[in-house]
Each structure stands twice: as C-alpha cells, then as structure tokens.
Amino acid sequence: NANLNQLAQAAGKLYFGSATDNSELSDSAYVAILSNYEEFGQITPGNTQKWEYTEPTEGNFTYTEGDVITDFAEANGQILRCHNLVWYNQLPSWVTSDTWTNATLTAVMEAHIQSEVTHYKGQCYAWDVVNEALDDNSPTGYRTDVFYETMGVWYIPFAFATAAAADPDAKLYYNDYNIEYAGNKATAAVELVELIQSYGAKIDGVGLQGHFIVGETPSASTLLAQIETYAALGVEVAYTEVDVRFTSLPPTTAGLAQQAVDYGSVTSACLSSDSCVGITVWDFDDAYSWIPSTFSGEGDACLYWANLTTKPAYDTVESLLASA
Ligand code: G3I
C-alpha cells in the first residue's frame, strides 16, 4: 500500500490521521500501521483526554493515560489533535450531579481548561475546545447540558477564551456531527462561530466529525459548499472523526463500492478547499470502531477490515490523494 499521510501532504494538506485509544496500543500489528508516519501523520486520543479521565474528582488532574497517546504521537513525529475540553458526555459524575451556580461552574470549567491546556501546551496542533454543543432537536439549537443550563451560551466563548489564554499557539476548534452539510444544525454552527467571535474570543477552526452512513453520505459538492461557508467566517476546517458505516451487515460487493464512493466524497471535498487542513478517521480498522457497541448490528465503517487488510474505500482515498 502507498501511504495516506504522505500522499495527503504532497497534495498540500497538513495530515491524514487516525484516532486511537490506550488499550489498542498493545496490538502490535495495529501499532505497526498506526505508528507509520507515512500512513498516519496525525493522532487523536479517542478517550483519555476527556474530562472523566483527566479530572475524575474535583481538582485532581491526572494525565497519565492521555500522555500515553501524546507520547506515542511525539515518538512518531505525528501531529496531535487534542480531544476534548468541554463536552456533555464522558463527564465525571461530580460535574453532572452537583448543583452549581454560574459562578461555581465557571470556576470549575476555568480550572479544568487551564490545567489541561497548560499540561499539553506546545504539543497540540489543535484542541477541540467545545464538542457537540448543538442538539439536532433542540428549539434553541443548543444542547441543554449542565453547562448550558447553568451558564447559558456564554460558556462557549468563555471556554475558548480560557483555552486561548493557556496555549496561544494551539488552534481552537468547535467540533460536531451533522454540521458537514447545509441544514438547521449547520446554520446553528455558523451562528455559534459568530457568537464566539462576537465575544472577542478566538476560534480557529470547525471540526466536521464526518460520521456518515453508506449511501447517505453527502456528495463532494455538498460537503465543499459547507466547508466554504465556514471558511467565509475566517476559520479553517478539518474532517475530524470520519467513518462510513453499514446499517446492515455483512456488506455486499456493491455496498463496498458505495462506501468507497462515500469516503471519496469526503476526500475530494477536503482536497478541493485550501481551508480544509486534513482528514482524521475515527480509527482505521473495524476491530477498534465505536460503531458496533453504539449501533447494534451496524459497522464495517473503517478503511481497514479487522484483519488489517484494506477495503475498496482505502483504494479510492489513496488514488484521490495521489491524483490531487
Ligand atoms: O474504560 C472503560 C472500561 O474500564 C470499562 O470496563 C468498559 C466497560 O464498558 O468501558 C470503558 O469505557 C468505554 C470507553 O469508550 C473506553 O473504551 C466506555 O464505556 C465507552 O462509552 C467509550 O466510548 C467512547 C465514546 O466516544 C463515548 O461517547 C468511544 O470509545 C469513542 O470512540 C467515542 O468518541 C466520540 C468522540 O469523542 C466525539 N464524537 C463522537 C465519537 C463517537 O461516539
């Protein structure tokens, strides 16, 4: 196989990368691929920089597990996307269960962001500062989590300003799903970027997660139009968590061809815009995909099969990168 990161960089992108997780690093066949800079020039920790891991009890910051991934990336010369600082999910129970005031939760959020961003200062190309703050079904557009309910929308610009103060060189991203194509949620994401800017806080990027379904993935032109909508706000974009899942298994030959088309649409969209800096897959082989445990009976969403052979989608991504 040729090498996805090498080809992406030759095409003018910063990286082609993958998420990974601590438990996966004991799989030597997997690690042989993940650690190959020519294949994956960028790493995102899939779990262990999240709040439940990094501040399991108030004021007790532990970066041991996150450091395993960041050290791995550093050892291989790989760019890090750091993930994430403020998210409604994977919060320790002390954050979700306590009764906060605006003032006390603000202090907690500030301490968390300051500690974590300072710990990783200089190592993160980008931080996903706020993750999934929008809700597809909420009338306000915002997810009614503990942060929104206690602090109002102001928590979002506050999180960005706090992260910027702790590491002025990290790119600060808003990261979400279903904002990759035009619609109510993408419009809410545009307004969220404008909200942050209206507070005078810095936002550098919008992370397009890219969790897609075979046969339902938007076309390259639809994806590109939305990239340019964000770019018009003065921010860059990246595809941050790409996978394209089958909703019924096993896949047919025709299904695998469609999956290749769908991965190709994402790749082409990113290649077509100077504002798209790179593509990250939310792990590269089916053995470590989050899909089967969340969507029962679905999966086979990755570029590699669980046995570490590649799919037709891999060949399509590779040839699009090579011909860019
Ligand atoms: O670490 C514990 C382990 O000790 C325990 O025995 C086991 C039993 O269930 O759970 C383990 O924790 C799991 C953790 O992944 C690490 O494997 C959690 O249950 C599981 O819920 C968690 O899932 C993660 C998911 O976020 C949580 O929402 C996935 O690995 C991770 O890939 C996924 O990533 C998210 C992004 O952060 C944001 N965008 C969506 C994406 C997919 O859901």
Side-chain angles (χ1 to χ4, degrees), residues 92-109:
S93 57
W94 68 269
V95 174
T96 49
S97 66
D98 252 314
T99 305
W100 303 105
T101 65
N102 188 356
T104 57
L105 190 59
T106 297
V108 157
M109 183 182 288

Side-chain angles (χ1 to χ4, degrees), residues 21 46-47 50 52-53 83-84 87 89-90 131-132 175 177 209 211 241 282 290 294:
D21 206 354
N47 277 302
K50 294 171 180 174
E52 70 173 354
Y53 292 89
H83 176 85
N84 55 49
W87 188 27
N89 203 352
Q90 290 180 287
N131 195 45
E132 300 172 14
N175 189 52
Y177 57 90
Q209 291 188 2
H211 295 296
E241 308 186 7
W282 206 244
W290 66 289
T294 301

Side-chain angles (χ1 to χ4, degrees), residues 9 50 119 142 146-147 207 219 224 270 277 290:
Q9 291 186 336
K50 294 171 180 174
H119 179 80
Y142 291 100
V146 64
F147 306 115
S219 68
L224 177 60
C270 189
V277 300
W290 66 289

Side-chain angles (χ1 to χ4, degrees), residues 281-303:
V281 291
W282 206 244
D283 235 311
F284 66 88
D285 85 287
D286 292 333
Y288 300 123
S289 172
W290 66 289
I291 301 281
S293 59
T294 301
F295 299 103
S296 181
E298 305 188 19
D300 286 4
C302 299
L303 291 175

Side-chain angles (χ1 to χ4, degrees), residues 74-94:
E74 191 181 3
N76 298 310
Q78 292 158 316
I79 290 172
L80 266 175
R81 292 197 82 265
C82 293
H83 176 85
N84 55 49
L85 296 170
V86 177
W87 188 27
Y88 76 94
N89 203 352
Q90 290 180 287
L91 286 171
S93 57
W94 68 269

Side-chain angles (χ1 to χ4, degrees), residues 182-195:
N184 290 343
K185 197 171 183 184
T187 300
V190 167
E191 289 167 2
L192 186 150
V193 172
E194 291 171 338
L195 174 85

Side-chain angles (χ1 to χ4, degrees), residues 85 110 113-119 121-122 127 129 157-172 200-204:
L85 296 170
E110 182 171 33
I113 294 173
Q114 266 175 1
S115 173
E116 181 152 12
V117 176
T118 300
H119 179 80
K121 186 176 181 181
W127 262 111
V129 177
F158 177 73
F160 277 80
T162 305
D167 186 353
D169 296 329
K171 303 268 189 198
L172 305 183
K202 183 177 85 118
I203 174 166
D204 301 293

